[in-house]
Amino acid sequence: MRQIDHPFHVDGCGRTADAGADDHIRDMIEQLLFTSPGERVNRPDFGSGLLRKVFDPNSPELATALQFTVQADLQRWLGDLIEVRSLEVTGEDATLRVVIEYMVRATGDVQRRTLARGGA
């Protein structure tokens, strides 16, 4: 099955760029984590709302709440593709960092990714 790369772009041959299976899963995780609920027209509940928390004061309670909600969102939207092994959400200044370790269900491969976004 053809999987379109994210963000959308055109490859060197002038066609829509494809993504490999591992890159496609990484792209889907990134889209889920950094999309705010209400941004998608036909899926208003899609997204984690993580970017809204970039400037919230850091505290152990906030970190625990974020990890719980992000884990639930990953299970809901991508649970058929991945099994989350570990998840760490941290915020420093205006940067939000998510470290996720997951197993790809189709292959059994374990991946570890770090995703970060800065505030405006």
Side-chain angles (χ1 to χ4, degrees), residues 17-62:
D18 291 339
D22 287 343
D23 287 340
H24 183 66
I25 289 174
R26 185 203 65 233
D27 290 346
M28 288 191 300
I29 291 170
E30 188 172 343
Q31 288 176 55
L32 174 64
L33 294 181
F34 299 120
T35 298
S36 294
E39 282 185 35
R40 296 264 173 111
V41 174
N42 292 324
R43 289 192 178 185
D45 55 340
F46 179 84
S48 68
L50 217 72
L51 290 179
R52 295 180 187 160
K53 304 298 182 187
V54 170
F55 294 109
D56 283 358
N58 289 333
S59 69
E61 294 81 12
L62 179 63

Side-chain angles (χ1 to χ4, degrees), residues 50 53 61-71 87 89 96:
L50 217 72
K53 304 298 182 187
E61 294 81 12
L62 179 63
T64 301
L66 284 175
Q67 286 183 229
F68 178 76
T69 58
V70 168
Q71 179 114 10
L87 177 70
V89 180
L96 185 66

Side-chain angles (χ1 to χ4, degrees), residues 2-118:
R2 184 167 185 228
Q3 299 165 344
I4 297 174
D5 200 13
H6 176 80
F8 179 83
H9 62 279
V10 177
D11 65 13
C13 298
R15 293 179 285 206
T16 300
D18 291 339
D22 287 343
D23 287 340
H24 183 66
I25 289 174
R26 185 203 65 233
D27 290 346
M28 288 191 300
I29 291 170
E30 188 172 343
Q31 288 176 55
L32 174 64
L33 294 181
F34 299 120
T35 298
S36 294
E39 282 185 35
R40 296 264 173 111
V41 174
N42 292 324
R43 289 192 178 185
D45 55 340
F46 179 84
S48 68
L50 217 72
L51 290 179
R52 295 180 187 160
K53 304 298 182 187
V54 170
F55 294 109
D56 283 358
N58 289 333
S59 69
E61 294 81 12
L62 179 63
T64 301
L66 284 175
Q67 286 183 229
F68 178 76
T69 58
V70 168
Q71 179 114 10
D73 290 334
L74 287 165
Q75 177 64 34
R76 176 180 179 196
W77 294 103
L78 301 175
D80 58 330
L81 300 175
I82 65 171
E83 175 186 314
V84 177
R85 297 283 175 93
S86 68
L87 177 70
E88 182 181 346
V89 180
T90 57
E92 292 181 25
D93 297 325
T95 302
L96 185 66
R97 185 173 327 284
V98 178
V99 179
I100 179 173
E101 183 175 298
Y102 59 92
M103 180 190 70
V104 178
R105 292 189 188 274
T107 63
D109 293 342
V110 176
Q111 302 285 331
R112 183 175 175 89
R113 305 282 187 207
T114 300
L115 305 167
R117 287 285 161 92

